[in-house]
């Protein structure tokens, strides 16, 4: 069981609740954080939940997770489709990582259908809204290293 989980959120996810509600729903990132804290508690996991609009900050947080966390859940938001730096950081730390998206990126614009993260992820969950974060925590709770 992977106990200490780092949950990272990329750019514009701080705008959830007022951002394209038809696509992303009405929950705020704080609502999602609360749901994750509850689910982690039920699973006997501890989480740290963070958001940034800055690519390099995500890279640093992934690097710093080494030795501090057992696994990472990340919604890289728009950096999913552009960031070789985040791809490389994930590869470097070799921690199990689940990529989460609220929306189904494969049903949307063509530029969203390419992920630089999926090839270095343990698994990918998309299109299930905030439930995706919950499922990722549960998957890590059942995952053997
Ligand atoms: C997203 C999908 C991305 O394409 C987009 O840039 C986001 C959010 C999602 O959760 O559905 O900001 O990662």
């Amino acid at each position: 069981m992977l106990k200490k989980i780092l949950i990272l959120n990329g750019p514009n996810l701080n705008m959830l609740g007022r951002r394209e509600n038809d696509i992303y729903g009405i929950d705020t990132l704080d609502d999602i954080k609360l749901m994750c804290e509850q689910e982690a508690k039920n699973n006997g996991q501890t989480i740290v939940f963070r958001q940034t609009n800055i690519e390099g900050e995500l890279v640093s947080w992934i690097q710093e997770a080494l030795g501090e966390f057992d696994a990472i859940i990340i919604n890289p938001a728009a950096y999913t489709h552009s960031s070789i730096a985040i791809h490389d950081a994930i590869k470097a730390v070799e921690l199990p990582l689940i990529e989460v998206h609220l929306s189904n990126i494969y049903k949307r614009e063509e530029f969203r259908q390419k992920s630089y993260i999926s090839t270095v992820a343990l698994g990918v969950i998309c299109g299930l809204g905030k439930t995706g974060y919950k499922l990722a925590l549960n998957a890590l709770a059942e995952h053997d290293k």
Side-chain angles (χ1 to χ4, degrees):
M1 135 105 112
L2 301 173
K3 280 201 156 176
K4 283 192 74 182
I5 315 295
L6 178 63
I7 305 181
L8 298 179
N9 294 280
N12 299 306
L13 293 172
N14 54 316
M15 300 289 284
L16 288 178
R18 67 165 69 179
R19 172 190 181 205
E20 299 179 90
N21 293 138
D22 49 325
I23 296 173
Y24 298 118
I26 55 164
D27 289 304
T28 66
L29 196 60
D30 274 347
D31 295 331
I32 295 176
K33 182 183 177 193
L34 221 63
M35 182 203 68
C36 287
E37 284 168 349
Q38 193 55 57
E39 196 66 16
K41 200 172 161 197
N42 292 344
N43 290 344
Q45 296 162 314
T46 57
I47 62 162
V48 170
F49 191 100
R50 295 186 184 142
Q51 188 274 333
T52 179
N53 293 324
I54 302 167
E55 182 179 15
E57 200 148 39
L58 287 170
V59 170
S60 295
W61 287 342
I62 291 165
Q63 290 178 6
E64 288 159 16
L66 205 52
E68 290 294 320
F69 292 92
D70 297 323
I72 300 174
I73 294 169
I74 187 168
N75 182 347
Y79 292 137
T80 306
H81 319 297
S82 66
S83 183
I84 297 168
I86 294 174
H87 169 107
D88 284 349
I90 294 166
K91 222 172 165 181
V93 297
E94 293 182 318
L95 284 169
L97 174 141
I98 299 185
E99 174 187 352
V100 171
H101 301 283
L102 297 160
S103 65
N104 181 349
I105 55 174
Y106 300 102
K107 243 164 82 172
R108 299 183 63 193
E109 302 97 321
E110 206 178 329
F111 65 83
R112 289 186 207 278
Q113 293 174 20
K114 159 86 190 162
S115 167
Y116 282 92
I117 311 305
S118 300
T119 53
V120 285
L122 169 67
V124 183
I125 300 169
C126 77
L128 302 177
K130 67 174 179 176
T131 306
Y133 287 77
K134 219 194 234 190
L135 295 174
L137 281 167
N138 292 338
L140 293 173
E142 291 185 18
H143 183 74
D144 287 325
K145 243 186 204 176

